[in-house]
Amino acid sequence: MGIKVTDVAFVRFQAPDLDVMQSFFEEFGLQVSERTDDTLYMRGTDDDGFVHVTHLGPEPAFLGLAFEASSVDELHELAAHADFSDVGALEGPGGGSVVRATDPNGFQVEVVAGRAPLGALTAPAAEPHNDAHARTRTGTALRLGAGPSHVKRLGHCVLEVLDFRATEGWYKEHFGLLTSDEIQLDETMALGAFLRCDRGDAFVDHHTLFLLGIGRAGFNHAAFEVADFDDLMRGHTHLTAHGRHAQWGIGRHFLGSQIYDYWLDPHGHMVEHWTDGDLFDNTTPPGIASIGTLLGSQWGPTHGGPPA
Ligand SMILES: [Fe+2]
């Protein structure tokens, strides 16, 4: 028996210098929520206490990811399963409760609930736009301030896994995830899948977790939603001006349809800015897609191509 998680909550990393991480992620558009001698908690403009955590440690490393549950009672349901720890206190701003498990690839997976909302931070207002369909901005000029993007929230995490089917089974059993699109090499061989949360008739992101079965366990990327397209472009300009490493973008994906822009953090861990993704409820049937569709773009550079 499992539960149905409601979203991804945060990712944890280890790094040897918190100043280096803070500097990059402030330029990326996160904001410091709390910093102790050994831990850096960073947040988006939504009211969660943190979406990205860095623990001070000798080697840069991805430590794991966390999902959100709708109640502490559900954490106790998970804790009854042998794979999960007892329910404990979640450290960091906003507090809350947590259970922990290790997935079939050795990744730490946390599930949290009961976090205190810290209040939303200022995000850019929605600007009216003029295009071929509508003239909504009249009599006034559009002026966008320069600076970092405004990261709203963590949207999804992508893991490279040893055995796709075994890993998919583990996440679906415990967390109730649904398949949005499965990537198939041919009719007999699945490479991975985009999985979303099951929140009934509520619309959720096309993917909260993407599992890529390539025979090794590793972090691929974490993706953060920004305010809108202008905000994504503003952030691209800002990161470029600070000499940061653009990895892939800017383009629009097929699977999930979001506009994407990928960067590398100071230790080579990939992080994505995205906006305007698809939203599905639990009635959308699973799709099947090729690796070409996975790596292609509706517009923008093909995968591995130079940043646009
Ligand atoms: Fe992504």
Side-chain angles (χ1 to χ4, degrees), residues 81-134:
H81 191 284
D83 284 5
F84 287 81
S85 70
D86 290 337
V87 178
L90 178 66
E91 286 191 29
S97 298
V98 60
V99 291
R100 295 189 170 93
T102 302
D103 89 349
N105 304 278
F107 298 124
Q108 176 179 267
V109 179
E110 297 171 275
V111 185
V112 302
R115 307 170 81 194
L118 297 196
L121 302 178
T122 304
E127 298 287 349
H129 287 92
N130 296 329
D131 58 26
H133 309 290

Side-chain angles (χ1 to χ4, degrees), residues 156-158 194 207 210 220-224 248 253 255 258 260 262 271-274:
H156 62 263
C157 193
V158 176
F194 289 93
H207 52 285
F210 178 56
N220 185 280
H221 71 269
F224 297 85
W248 181 26
H253 281 307
L255 303 174
Q258 77 268 30
Y260 62 82
Y262 293 87
V271 285
E272 176 188 359
H273 279 155
W274 65 270

Side-chain angles (χ1 to χ4, degrees), residues 86-204:
D86 290 337
V87 178
L90 178 66
E91 286 191 29
S97 298
V98 60
V99 291
R100 295 189 170 93
T102 302
D103 89 349
N105 304 278
F107 298 124
Q108 176 179 267
V109 179
E110 297 171 275
V111 185
V112 302
R115 307 170 81 194
L118 297 196
L121 302 178
T122 304
E127 298 287 349
H129 287 92
N130 296 329
D131 58 26
H133 309 290
R135 305 283 197 253
T136 59
R137 187 182 67 254
T138 53
T140 186
L142 177 66
R143 293 290 181 270
L144 303 166
S149 296
H150 298 73
V151 167
K152 172 180 168 61
R153 55 186 277 270
L154 176 63
H156 62 263
C157 193
V158 176
L159 300 177
E160 297 167 1
V161 301
L162 298 165
D163 179 328
F164 163 60
R165 285 292 181 218
T167 306
E168 177 196 36
W170 190 88
Y171 280 91
K172 285 187 168 181
E173 175 195 352
H174 292 305
F175 305 139
L177 301 177
L178 304 174
T179 298
S180 292
D181 283 295
E182 181 167 292
I183 311 303
Q184 295 186 353
L185 294 178
D186 59 42
E187 281 147 25
T188 62
M189 184 67 192
L191 182 69
F194 289 93
L195 306 174
R196 70 182 184 279
C197 298
D198 179 356
R199 293 177 64 178
D201 60 6
F203 287 100
V204 302

